[in-house]
Amino acid sequence: MTAEIITIGDEILIGQIIDTNSAWIAKQLKNINISIGQITSVSDSKEAIRQTLQEAAGRADIIIVTGGLGPTKDDITKITAADYFGTHLMRDAKVLAHVEDFFKQRGLEMLEINLQQADILANSEVLFNDVGTAPGMFVRQDNKYYFFIPGVPFEMKFLVTNRILPILSTLDIGQSIWTQNIITAGIGESFLANTIADIEDALPDYIKLAYLPKYGSVRMRLTAIGQDASALRQETEQFANRIVDRVRSHVISTEDLTIEEVIIKEFAKRNLTLSTAESCTGGFLAAQLTAVPGCSQIFTGGTIPYSNKLKMQLLGVTEATLSSYGAVSEQTVIEMANGSKKNFETDYAIATSGIAGPDGGTSEKPVGTVWIAIAGKEKVITKKCQFTPNRQVNIELATAYAYNMLWNLFHTENNFSIE
């Protein structure tokens, strides 16, 4: 069985909001062995919605539609779906009572337009929305399963978890899906593909290998689809083990983790701690780390000493170093890293200093020049990078390089290896 996700709203197409709903829904469906054939975003237009529903029905068994269920004139999903199914809208008494109570409990005035929230497709089963006013709807027609749910993320998640997944879990999916991830760092996508080309060529048709690169790392994902779940897992793991053996020095995890998550996991196992001293990255290193639950096990804190004065006051960088070499220099980031490690009493520390741009560069130190230092248990390593004229890209690249350098030093000093 395959599924298709349709997200409705002009706000997605113009980039006003990012469609995070589809990614979340896809993960939930994968967990019950339902594969996604396509994800489509369409405008708030009857023609576009109707055409997309028709096309999706030709491709998928399960169609999940999010968005366009509100009470305003631009919310036309329900009336378009009624036309598509050849049915009409009817007011549901139970939903109406819920909507009225929703407004009453919050002391809000209920307008005539809000009554429309209780209108549902006459051929549908109501998916009751405990956390909002727009109900979900479930329609089964021509052996296809259609689900219509609000686009508000917390309402969508509630309905998928508590209404849709229980329905889908009763179906005979007819297939199993097994996924194996391999996370690498310090090797580019093309070099990685070339290194394991013979292994990839040996994959059977039912096992697919995808390369998912991001700054500093590449996630390889092996996905197998078939009938026998146990056999799929065994065969996929055999190929994964061959890949790991081939590129072992670059593998940081065989779980679906970011490098920050891996660092937290492995540091926590060894009771190691980390601090940061960020100039050009402006706290982005710390933000990436603290976005991960459990980071407090290893991260004690950091500084953003943008000015030379704060570099001296907070980290002990000497005036002589700054005068002789400048803030963007190997000498300065070494003193920043050592100062952070000393003052925060950590096992490791990261320091960054550079010219993020778009201004501030010179012929000797152009925009995109970044120095990174990692202070470890035994030594300090440094790297000079020359990135781009783009400020945000430089910040993200510097962060990725810094975490890769930290991982490499940790790997060396702690004899880490993938089992």
Side-chain angles (χ1 to χ4, degrees), residues 224-237:
I225 300 177
Q227 302 296 318
D228 188 332
S230 178
L232 284 177
R233 176 174 181 170
Q234 183 178 8
E235 189 171 8
T236 305
E237 288 181 343

Side-chain angles (χ1 to χ4, degrees), residues 275-296:
S275 59
T276 56
E278 304 181 62
S279 185
C280 65
T281 47
F284 196 71
L285 274 163
Q288 296 295 99
L289 201 66
T290 56
V292 180
C295 66
S296 59

Side-chain angles (χ1 to χ4, degrees), residues 277-281 285 311 325-337 350-356 364-374 380-387 394-395 397-399 401-402 405:
E278 304 181 62
S279 185
C280 65
T281 47
L285 274 163
K311 287 181 176 68
Y325 303 103
V328 182
S329 65
E330 181 179 31
Q331 292 79 3
T332 294
V333 290
I334 288 174
E335 291 186 13
M336 288 172 65
I350 306 173
T352 64
S353 187
I355 305 165
E364 294 179 349
K365 298 178 182 179
V367 169
T369 303
V370 175
W371 274 99
I372 302 169
I374 312 295
V380 179
I381 60 173
T382 62
K383 184 176 182 64
K384 180 184 179 182
C385 305
Q386 189 62 55
F387 296 134
N394 292 337
I395 290 171
L397 281 171
T399 298
Y401 271 65
M405 290 172 62

Side-chain angles (χ1 to χ4, degrees), residues 55-107:
E55 293 173 352
R59 292 186 291 251
D61 307 293
I62 300 161
I63 298 101
I64 298 177
V65 182
T66 71
L69 298 181
T72 55
K73 290 183 179 180
D74 63 326
D75 293 310
I76 59 173
T77 299
K78 284 193 290 190
I79 59 173
T80 305
D83 179 59
Y84 172 77
F85 290 120
T87 188
H88 62 279
L89 297 178
M90 57 174 282
R91 190 150 295 176
D92 185 275
K94 184 179 178 182
V95 175
L96 179 59
H98 168 70
V99 174
E100 290 174 336
D101 188 58
F102 187 93
F103 278 82
K104 183 179 179 180
Q105 286 188 6
R106 289 158 179 77

Side-chain angles (χ1 to χ4, degrees), residues 224-265:
I225 300 177
Q227 302 296 318
D228 188 332
S230 178
L232 284 177
R233 176 174 181 170
Q234 183 178 8
E235 189 171 8
T236 305
E237 288 181 343
Q238 288 174 352
F239 278 104
N241 290 338
R242 289 178 60 186
I243 293 173
V244 169
D245 287 341
R246 182 73 58 86
V247 293
R248 185 174 295 276
S249 62
H250 296 287
V251 176
I252 64 173
S253 181
T254 53
E255 299 178 73
D256 187 11
L257 302 173
T258 65
I259 191 168
E260 295 88 355
E261 290 172 319
V262 175
I263 288 170
I264 290 171
K265 177 183 175 183

Side-chain angles (χ1 to χ4, degrees), residues 2 12 30 36 107 178 194 219 239 246 307 347 384 386:
T2 60
I12 297 173
K30 174 184 170 294
I36 301 295
W178 178 257
N194 186 62
R219 180 204 306 168
F239 278 104
R246 182 73 58 86
S307 70
D347 299 293
K384 180 184 179 182
Q386 189 62 55

Side-chain angles (χ1 to χ4, degrees), residues 75-238:
D75 293 310
I76 59 173
T77 299
K78 284 193 290 190
I79 59 173
T80 305
D83 179 59
Y84 172 77
F85 290 120
T87 188
H88 62 279
L89 297 178
M90 57 174 282
R91 190 150 295 176
D92 185 275
K94 184 179 178 182
V95 175
L96 179 59
H98 168 70
V99 174
E100 290 174 336
D101 188 58
F102 187 93
F103 278 82
K104 183 179 179 180
Q105 286 188 6
R106 289 158 179 77
L108 300 173
E109 179 184 2
M110 185 167 174
L111 304 175
E112 180 68 25
I113 194 175
N114 298 123
L115 298 175
Q116 296 175 24
Q117 293 290 74
D119 294 344
I120 65 166
L121 295 166
N123 65 334
S124 72
E125 174 186 328
V126 173
L127 304 175
F128 206 75
N129 183 0
D130 296 42
V131 296
T133 58
M137 295 170 289
F138 166 45
V139 176
R140 181 172 182 175
Q141 183 166 299
D142 299 327
N143 292 320
K144 305 291 181 179
Y145 297 84
Y146 297 84
F147 298 92
F148 298 86
I149 54 178
V152 179
F154 75 90
E155 295 185 35
M156 175 276 297
K157 290 179 180 179
F158 174 86
L159 286 166
V160 170
T161 302
N162 297 281
R163 304 287 184 257
I164 296 178
L165 292 181
I167 293 173
L168 295 180
S169 64
T170 66
L171 304 181
D172 181 11
I173 304 303
Q175 66 181 15
S176 293
I177 302 175
W178 178 257
T179 300
Q180 176 70 54
N181 292 280
I182 304 169
I183 315 301
T184 64
I187 183 171
E189 178 185 9
S190 57
F191 286 98
L192 189 57
N194 186 62
T195 303
I196 64 168
D198 60 315
I199 301 175
E200 185 172 3
D201 289 341
L203 291 172
D205 291 341
Y206 51 86
I207 301 180
K208 305 296 183 183
L209 174 61
Y211 297 85
L212 306 167
K214 59 181 290 189
Y215 291 140
S217 65
V218 178
R219 180 204 306 168
M220 289 181 286
R221 187 188 64 229
L222 287 159
T223 302
I225 300 177
Q227 302 296 318
D228 188 332
S230 178
L232 284 177
R233 176 174 181 170
Q234 183 178 8
E235 189 171 8
T236 305
E237 288 181 343
Q238 288 174 352

